Every structure is written in C-alpha cells, then in structure tokens.
C-alpha cells in the first residue's frame, strides 16, 4: 500500500519537475492585445487598443491589421471587418497604441471609433493574415478565447500582470480572456514612446534545493530625485502654446543628475508622455523643457504634471491647477504653489502678484461700508426760541451771479465736430483757389465797372439853382 502511494505521488509531481512553473509558461513569445478602452464618461468615441511585445527584440508591424466583430454578428469569417492597418515597429518589451489621434496624440496608428461598450471581439493579424491574438469582452461576445473578459465599462480592461506588477508588462496568455484580463478603474494607454516593461522571470524560477539559500532578487537601480518647480501653461501672444510652454525641473541633490530615461506625463489622466534624453543637471541647477522640444501641451482648463524616473516610479507631481492665468506661471514656493507674473525659467521663482486696482478697492469698500441713514429734515425751531431781533431782520436778497458769457461764434465753434471743421477748411481752400485762378478776370471786371461809374459822373448836368463854389 505504501509503495502504491509513493508511485501515485511521483506521477503527480512529474509534470511539475519536467516543466517550468505555470506563471512562466503563460509568458508567450508573440504580440498580444494588452489593454482596451471602449469609451469614457466624456465620450463614447474615446477608444484605444494597446499592444504589448514581450519579446527581447522589436517587431515590425507593417501590414498587420486589427479586426472587429460585433457581439450580435454570427461567428463567421465574413462577420469580421478591418478597422486599422498598422505601420512601424513595436519596441522590444514595449507598447504600440492604436487610437483616434484627436483623442490621444501619442497614438502610433489611427483608429476610427467603432467598439461597442457592452461586448464584442477584437483580433490581431500579422502581415500573412495569421491571427496572432484575439480578445472577446462582455458576456455577449461569441468569439472569445475561452470565456470573454469583462466589459470595460467607462474604464479599461488590461492583460495580466498589468497593474498587479506595474513594471512587468502584459505578457500573460492562458488562452482564456476571462482569466487573463482584469478591470482598471483608470486607463493607462501606452505607446511606442513609453518606457519598456520587462516581464518578470526571477520570481518564477524554482530553487534547486529547498534547503539552500534562494537567489537574491534583482533590485531596480536607484535614481536621484528631481523636483518640478515651474510651469508656463498659457503664454501671452506673440508666444504660443505649441512653442513656448515650459516645464522647469530642479536638482536638489549634491551631485549632478543625468535626466536620460526620466519621463514627464501630463494631460487627461496623464496620458501624454515625453521621455527625456541625456541631459545633465548640475547640483542646485535647473532644466527647462519647452513644448517645441517635448511636444507636450499643458491643458489651460486645469491639470497637473508628473515626473517618473527610469524605473517608472513617480518622483514628483505638481498640485492640480484650475484655469490657467494667461501670461503667468504656476510656480513652487516654500510651502505652496501660486500663480506669479514673474516668469523665471532656469532661475529661482519670484512671487509677483497682480496689484489691486482702484476700481476693485473702491468696490470692496462700497460692499463693506454701512448704508447711510436717510437724511431727515431739520426740526423747525420752536417759536419761543426765536428772538424778536431775528424776526425784524430780513434776509438780504442775493442776486444770482450771471453765467460767464461766451460769444456765440466761440460757443458754436466748441460744438463743431472734426468733420465739420474739415468741410469748412475745404470750402475756404476752394474759394481761395478760385480767387487766385480767376484774379485777372476779377480785376478786369473791377476796372470796367469803375470806368463806367466815372463816365456817368462826368455826364451829369449840374442842378439849377446850385453852383459850385
């Protein structure tokens, strides 16, 4: 009986001794659909499909396609429709994002919104037309691998290990969508520009002997902390958002820091990324990254910026700002962040606030000043209190002072509009030009009239009864 038990146990343990662990066997050597979003609470057209490459070398996606089949369609080849044709490369152990670029500017390929939120099936085909991976989601999906994954609702579904092991990619595939995908409460689309994520292997290795010390796990390298100190969100003209917005970083360490591999994230749910290239920040020094270099666009209506180190660890994050103040920067001071008029890229921040205007001050005073009581007419003095002398004295009549006299032409000239003065000036010039042009005719007419007048005077006869002295 004892021998039979030993043989039974040996047969049961044989598969485990002859093969790697279940987790390592699930790490598959081909591209997979790693995360899917079918819409958001903002818009049903805000969709994306993310691919992950678990291989140690890049893969060319030229000629690859993504196809979709509605849950209500019959499970036939004619039910599939091509929705995207891919181009370019997916990096080794990196990502590739397919999305409407009007929604996610970091997308590697364009996508036309078409995914039903309740259920459907997506498949990835290579350039030869071979189905590489397939994902059915929602209870109504009829072409899933195994059981369908849950519907993404307003968030997303992600392939394991996913958020459970954030830096180890999405390489688990048991050919059962329900087992391989989990729901995310906040989507995290990643593109070819995102940091690679290496699938974990050491945690799946088995110890040679249970009583020997296990091999130490490989620890991620340590990186120096950097601080985000200033953001210019909404530059004033002639500066522009696409060229002159900036993010300022500060090195508080006693040694220089190489920024290569660090990543800035901003935008809605920090979906926009920029991976920093090699650049040294000296101790106590600054680095200013402009939008013309990063391609990042800071949202004027409100947002924040994150800084991640090359391990993907969050190093710093700014407080969330509301609506941006045009021409001002969102800057860090000793114990708080404030909007300041003084832009200081590459320098210590200076707090310069808008001065209170006279109108604003007067308005504030008007709001806080107590209302004046209504003025009551003075009480009439009692007759007994009025003396006889006061009754006898009559008030002197005061002649009204005549208003200062203004001659009519002067008063009228003050009311003339500029257009009237122009017309008068043109009229005077016209008359002057006419007199000059016809001066000889005028002189001849004058002499002619004068001659006639003289001849008439000479022809007059003296009146009788009168003589000349």
């Amino acid at each position: 009986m004892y021998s039979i038990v030993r043989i039974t146990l040996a047969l049961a343990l044989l598969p485990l001794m002859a093969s790697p662990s279940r987790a390592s066997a699930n790490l598959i050597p081909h591209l997979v659909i790693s995360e899917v979003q079918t819409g958001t609470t903002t818009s049903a057209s805000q969709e994306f499909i993310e691919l992950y490459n678990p291989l140690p070398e890049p893969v060319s996606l030229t000629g690859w396609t993504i196809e979709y089949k509605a849950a209500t369609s019959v499970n036939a080849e004619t039910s599939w429709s091509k929705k995207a044709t891919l181009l370019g490369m997916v990096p080794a152990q990196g990502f590739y994002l397919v999305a409407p670029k009007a929604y996610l500017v970091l997308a590697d390929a364009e996508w036309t919104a078409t995914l039903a939120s309740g259920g459907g099936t997506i498949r990835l085909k290579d350039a030869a037309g071979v189905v590489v991976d397939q994902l059915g989601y929602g209870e109504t999906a009829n072409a899933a691998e195994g059981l369908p994954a849950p519907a993404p609702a307003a968030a997303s579904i992600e392939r394991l290990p996913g958020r459970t092991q954030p830096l180890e990619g999405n390489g688990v595939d048991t050919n059962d969508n329900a087992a391989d995908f989990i729901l995310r409460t906040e989507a995290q689309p990643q593109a070819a520009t995102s940091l690679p994520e290496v699938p974990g292997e050491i945690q799946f290795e088995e110890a040679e002997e249970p009583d020997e010390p296990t091999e130490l796990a490989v620890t991620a390298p340590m990186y120096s902390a950097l601080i985000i100190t200033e953001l210019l969100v909404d530059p004033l003209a002639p500066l522009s958002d696409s060229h002159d917005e900036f993010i300022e970083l500060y090195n508080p360490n006693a040694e220089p820091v190489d920024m290569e591999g660090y990543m800035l994230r901003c935008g809605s749910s920090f979906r926009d990324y920029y991976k920093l290239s090699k650049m040294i920040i000296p101790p106590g020094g600054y680095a200013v990254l402009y939008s013309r270099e990063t391609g990042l666009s800071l949202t004027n209506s409100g947002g924040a910026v994150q800084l991640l180190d090359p391990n993907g660890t969050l190093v710093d994050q700014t407080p969330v700002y509301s609506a941006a103040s045009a021409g001002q920067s969102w800057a860090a001071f000793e114990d708080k962040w404030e909007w300041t008029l003084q832009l200081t890229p590459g320098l210590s921040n200076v707090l310069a606030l808008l001065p209170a205007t006279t109108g604003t001050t007067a308005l504030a005073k008007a709001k806080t000043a107590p209302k004046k009581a209504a003025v009551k007419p003075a009480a009439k003095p009692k007759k007994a209190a009025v003396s006889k002398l006061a009754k006898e004295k009559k008030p002197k009549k005061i002649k009204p002072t005549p208003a200062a006299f203004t001659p009519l032409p002067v008063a009228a000239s003050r009311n003339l509009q500029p257009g009237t003065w122009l017309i008068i000036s043109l009229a005077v010039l016209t008359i002057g030009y006419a007199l000059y042009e016809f001066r000889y005719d005028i002189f001849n007419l004058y002499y002619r009239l004068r001659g006639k007048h003289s001849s008439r005077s000479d022809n007059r006869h003296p009146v009788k009864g009168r003589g000349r002295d």
Side-chain angles (χ1 to χ4, degrees):
M1 183 67 180
Y2 179 71
S3 300
I4 295 174
V5 172
R6 291 183 64 184
I7 293 171
T8 304
L9 289 173
L11 291 174
L13 294 173
L14 183 61
L16 294 177
M17 293 185 291
S19 63
S21 67
R22 179 178 181 273
S24 62
N26 294 337
L27 293 174
I28 35 79
H30 62 77
L31 268 65
V32 289
I33 300 169
S34 53
E35 188 174 358
V36 172
Q37 177 178 277
T38 60
T40 66
T41 54
T42 303
S43 173
S45 63
Q46 293 183 341
E47 303 175 351
F48 71 81
I49 297 174
E50 177 194 273
L51 307 179
Y52 175 68
N53 175 19
L55 303 174
E57 62 273 344
V59 174
S60 173
L61 294 180
T62 302
W64 289 47
T65 57
I66 291 179
E67 298 180 343
Y68 172 73
K69 184 176 78 68
T72 55
S73 302
V74 295
N75 192 9
E77 189 64 25
T78 55
S79 301
W80 296 89
S81 59
K82 184 172 67 175
K83 296 300 180 182
T85 301
L86 311 183
L87 294 170
M89 306 284 291
V90 55
Q93 296 162 341
F95 299 88
Y96 189 93
L97 186 62
V98 185
K101 292 192 177 181
Y103 168 48
L104 295 175
V105 295
L106 70 159
D108 301 300
E110 185 63 40
W111 172 261
T112 302
T114 188
L115 301 177
S117 59
T121 306
I122 304 163
R123 72 183 183 184
L124 174 67
K125 295 174 71 174
D126 64 16
V130 177
V131 176
V132 177
D133 193 28
Q134 193 159 305
L135 166 64
Y137 63 91
E139 294 180 357
T140 56
N142 59 9
E145 292 181 351
L147 295 176
S156 69
I157 52 175
E158 183 183 30
R159 185 180 292 273
L160 291 170
R163 62 179 173 80
T164 62
Q165 298 174 22
L167 299 179
E168 296 187 3
N170 306 92
V172 173
D173 189 3
T174 64
N175 291 324
D176 185 346
N177 295 154
D180 295 340
F181 281 83
I182 57 174
L183 281 169
R184 287 188 64 101
T185 55
E186 183 178 350
Q188 188 186 18
Q190 293 169 279
T193 56
S194 302
L195 290 174
E197 296 182 2
V198 181
E201 296 178 357
I202 294 176
Q203 60 178 325
F204 300 138
E205 292 180 2
E206 299 179 15
E208 295 180 1
E209 296 292 337
D211 54 348
E212 291 183 1
T214 57
E215 186 177 346
L216 293 176
V218 175
T219 58
M222 299 296 293
Y223 291 93
S224 300
L226 296 173
I227 301 173
I228 306 171
T229 49
E230 188 175 2
L231 309 176
L232 177 57
V233 182
D234 187 12
L236 283 176
L239 303 180
S240 64
D241 290 352
S242 61
H243 195 267
D244 300 293
E245 290 183 356
F246 68 76
I247 300 171
E248 180 189 76
L249 303 180
Y250 174 69
N251 176 15
N253 304 286
E255 64 279 342
V257 175
D258 185 357
M259 294 195 303
E260 185 175 13
Y262 284 78
M263 177 177 287
L264 290 169
R265 303 173 71 170
C266 64
S268 176
S269 300
F270 302 103
R271 289 188 173 96
D272 298 342
Y273 302 82
Y274 176 72
K275 186 176 179 181
L276 279 64
S277 57
K278 189 175 184 63
M279 182 186 298
I280 305 298
I281 308 181
Y286 296 87
V288 183
L289 303 165
Y290 288 91
S291 54
R292 57 180 176 265
E293 304 163 352
T294 64
L296 296 177
S297 178
L298 302 177
T299 308
N300 291 351
S301 58
V305 175
Q306 289 181 341
L307 177 66
L308 285 71
D309 68 16
N311 287 331
T313 304
L314 183 64
V315 175
D316 192 24
Q317 178 175 329
T318 68
V320 176
Y321 59 84
S322 55
S325 299
Q328 300 185 44
S329 68
W330 181 237
F333 295 94
E334 290 184 359
D335 56 348
K336 59 184 176 180
W337 281 69
E338 288 196 50
W339 292 106
T340 174
L341 290 168
Q342 185 67 48
L343 308 183
T344 56
L347 301 171
S348 299
N349 295 337
V350 176
L351 182 59
L353 303 176
L354 281 171
T357 60
T358 305
T360 305
T361 305
L363 181 61
K365 289 182 178 179
K367 288 182 179 180
T368 57
K371 294 182 179 179
K372 293 183 179 180
V375 179
K376 296 181 180 179
K380 294 182 179 180
K382 297 180 180 180
K383 291 183 179 180
V386 180
S387 63
K388 294 182 179 180
L389 182 61
K391 288 183 178 180
E392 292 177 357
K393 290 184 179 180
K394 296 181 180 181
K396 295 182 180 179
K397 294 182 179 180
I398 302 174
K399 294 182 180 180
T401 304
F405 174 73
T406 304
L408 183 59
V410 176
S413 65
R414 291 176 180 172
N415 296 325
L416 292 179
Q417 300 298 321
T420 307
W421 282 112
L422 179 61
I423 294 172
I424 293 173
S425 301
L426 291 174
V428 171
L429 291 174
T430 303
I431 294 171
Y433 177 76
L435 292 174
Y436 175 77
E437 188 69 22
F438 299 101
R439 63 188 182 278
Y440 297 110
D441 295 332
I442 294 172
F443 288 152
N444 291 335
L445 179 61
Y446 169 73
Y447 289 124
R448 193 185 311 162
L449 293 175
R450 184 177 179 183
K452 288 183 179 181
H453 179 71
S454 300
S455 60
R456 286 178 183 176
S457 300
D458 295 339
N459 292 332
R460 287 181 183 175
H461 298 286
V463 181
K464 292 181 180 181
R466 292 184 181 181
R468 296 185 179 181
D469 295 337

